[in-house]
Amino acid sequence: KENLMETVQEKVIHLIQKIGVEEVKPEASLMDDLGLESLQIYTMLSDLEILFSIRIPEKVLMRVDTVQDMVNEIQKILGVS
């Protein structure tokens, strides 16, 4: 369980870095602090759905503001929160 929690965080951070953001902190706002656009966030979530074989409901997308929010929501879906 702990290993999967770390993997979720690593994958989220890696995908953000792929977009071009070098330093990613869990408390960073995806849009305000990291400057990501909604399409970039949507694409990243789609990649995470494929990676973890999950479906992220649209209502969850509305609650995600920070990197940690994203990690927490994915962990909830995976049952490791």
Side-chain angles (χ1 to χ4, degrees):
K1 225 177 190 182
E2 187 68 34
N3 192 28
L4 185 56
M5 290 174 76
E6 289 174 20
T7 300
V8 171
Q9 187 163 14
E10 287 170 9
K11 295 297 181 190
V12 168
I13 289 172
H14 175 73
L15 286 171
I16 293 169
Q17 288 172 333
K18 253 177 75 174
I19 294 169
V21 178
E22 290 182 26
E23 190 174 343
V24 180
K25 295 181 180 171
E27 65 276 6
S29 168
L30 297 169
M31 294 180 116
D32 296 336
D33 297 332
L34 302 179
L36 299 183
E37 296 176 5
S38 55
L39 182 59
Q40 291 171 307
I41 295 169
Y42 184 80
T43 301
M44 185 171 56
L45 289 170
S46 178
D47 290 344
L48 290 165
E49 285 182 324
I50 293 166
L51 183 68
F52 290 108
S53 300
I54 58 173
R55 177 80 186 105
I56 302 171
E58 280 192 41
K59 64 181 180 180
V60 168
L61 303 179
M62 304 313 234
R63 292 195 299 254
V64 172
D65 176 51
T66 67
V67 174
Q68 192 61 52
D69 291 342
M70 184 178 293
V71 171
N72 293 345
E73 292 297 339
I74 293 170
Q75 289 174 342
K76 279 185 210 169
I77 293 168
L78 291 170
V80 293
S81 57

